[in-house]
Amino acid sequence: MAMRAVRVSRWAGAAVLTACVALTVAARPAAASAAHANAGPAGVQAKAAAIAVASTGQVLWSRDLNTELPMASITKVMTALVVIRAGGLSRKITVPSAVVAYVDEHDASAAGLRPGDTLTASQLLEGLLMPSGADAAYTLAEAYGPGLGAFIAKMNATAKRLGLTRTHFSNFDGLPYPTGYSTYSTPANLIKLGRVAMASAVFRSIVDQRSYRIAAGSGHHAYFWRNLNPLLGVYRGAIGIKPGWTPTAGHCLLFEATRGGRSFIGVNLDSPGVGATVNGADATRMLNWAFSLPSY
């Protein structure tokens, strides 16, 4: 059967790899001065941002580290984490017919799921994280709640257990309802969430992929999804994690990169950009600065 095209709307964390701003990625000399380190990365325009050592969580630079802001489809990192921790990823789940109305109502980005198709939870996680599918988020939440409300409660309970005291989820995909500020977090909380998620081999294996294909089979159509992270394939060493955008949240990106045994994780919230195509400009500036430091 012909593969169904993935829909990418103006709401969710859609990004196109070629839209990433190709900033210089070369590290500065190892003799970078203390003054340079203290100055932090130049040119970061995000309203709030931070970058940390991935292995320890030590924050190297931040702006409004504990300011609560919407994070759009970065929300789906928690959605995935709840599912992964629940287990049963080989479980077969039928896509409910309600996903079509849901995607249309919110003009959400979607993985193009066909109601009635049966996919495994593992395959749905691919559709959740790579093309930022709100339909995949809906399907997983309905199955793993069970029910949408119960699943959102599990997201908030997990946030509490992780100590994410300035994070709240009103939905499972980061769409701006009931309001644009109903789902929110902080740079500090999102770096912690990202570190927890990247400790999962399942999660890491998904967000590090450029694309994913499902051949048509018994009970489902064929699917092909591209990863919308603007750094993958553009910034050397990028290994994840998740972009997001809404008019309220602006351009958001939770990211990680590794080179020569050093790994940094960071986030930018409400960065400037045109439309829904999330760019990697602020993330690139932060990573370039971090990799230029001689002592991390």
Side-chain angles (χ1 to χ4, degrees), residues 17 51 54 74 77 129-130 190 194-195 197-198 200 202-210 227-244 252-258 263-268 280 283-284 287 291:
L17 292 175
I51 189 162
I74 293 176
V77 173
L129 293 169
M130 297 190 69
L190 289 175
R195 291 182 66 232
M198 290 296 275
S200 162
V202 172
F203 184 90
R204 288 177 68 94
S205 69
I206 296 173
V207 299
D208 192 28
Q209 294 177 109
R210 298 283 300 279
N227 197 322
L228 301 177
N229 185 330
L231 297 184
L232 288 183
V234 176
Y235 189 90
R236 183 168 62 87
I239 57 173
I241 304 176
K242 186 74 184 70
C252 303
L253 184 60
L254 181 61
F255 56 89
E256 185 170 338
T258 183
S263 297
F264 298 102
I265 186 170
V267 63
N268 53 271
T284 298
L287 285 168
F291 280 115

Side-chain angles (χ1 to χ4, degrees), residues 14 53 80 92 196 200 223 229-230 238 240 262 270 273 280 296:
V53 178
K92 293 184 177 180
V196 172
S200 162
Y223 294 96
N229 185 330
R262 298 195 299 163
D270 200 2
Y296 296 98

Side-chain angles (χ1 to χ4, degrees), residues 1 4-5 93-104 110-119 124 135-136 138-139 219-223 225:
M1 296 183 182
R4 180 176 173 83
I93 301 171
T94 300
V95 179
S97 59
V99 299
V100 175
Y102 180 80
V103 167
D104 288 345
L113 299 181
R114 302 280 192 96
D117 274 11
T118 298
L119 299 169
L124 289 167
D135 47 0
Y138 187 108
T139 302
H220 61 79
H221 293 78
Y223 294 96
W225 299 315

Side-chain angles (χ1 to χ4, degrees), residues 134-186:
D135 47 0
Y138 187 108
T139 302
L140 287 166
E142 184 65 46
Y144 274 83
L148 304 181
F151 188 84
I152 295 166
K154 289 181 178 180
M155 295 173 72
N156 284 308
T158 302
K160 184 176 181 180
R161 285 195 296 272
L162 293 177
L164 309 183
T165 58
R166 293 179 177 268
T167 298
H168 177 75
F169 300 100
S170 64
N171 55 52
F172 40 80
D173 49 22
L175 289 169
Y177 72 88
T179 75
Y181 294 92
S182 298
T183 294
Y184 58 82
S185 190
T186 69

